[in-house]
Amino acid sequence: MLTESKADRWAYAVVQEEETGVVTYSPPFEREHIWAGVMYLYGINTMKAPNEYLHSNDDIREAMMAISAGVTTS
């Protein structure tokens, strides 16, 4: 199971690789959608209280569905 911490660490690694120019997007025309998903996951492990994540699993699922459909999330 992909936890919030693992998702954040994965996204952080992708951001670091993007800065060095080694990330490729497949298909390339979907770069914006892919990057929106990466940026959503980067910081996903933010806590709003001890042992309580800011985003619930339902929040994450809804945001990723919106991103994959091309809807901008905030």
Side-chain angles (χ1 to χ4, degrees):
M1 184 165 144
L2 187 61
T3 64
E4 286 86 349
S5 293
K6 288 180 182 177
D8 175 72
R9 286 190 302 253
W10 174 84
Y12 175 78
V14 173
V15 168
Q16 297 294 42
E17 290 179 355
E18 171 69 14
E19 290 177 1
T20 65
V22 299
V23 174
T24 57
Y25 298 89
S26 180
F29 63 86
E30 291 291 346
R31 182 194 184 283
E32 288 185 37
H33 291 134
I34 295 166
W35 194 245
V38 170
M39 293 314 301
Y40 182 79
L41 291 174
Y42 185 44
I44 197 73
N45 63 343
T46 302
M47 305 291 274
K48 66 179 179 180
N51 298 318
E52 189 177 354
Y53 288 106
L54 179 61
H55 302 281
S56 70
N57 287 336
D58 288 338
D59 294 338
I60 296 166
R61 189 174 8 270
E62 288 173 18
M64 296 310 294
M65 287 173 45
I67 289 166
S68 67
V71 176
T72 303
T73 61
S74 54

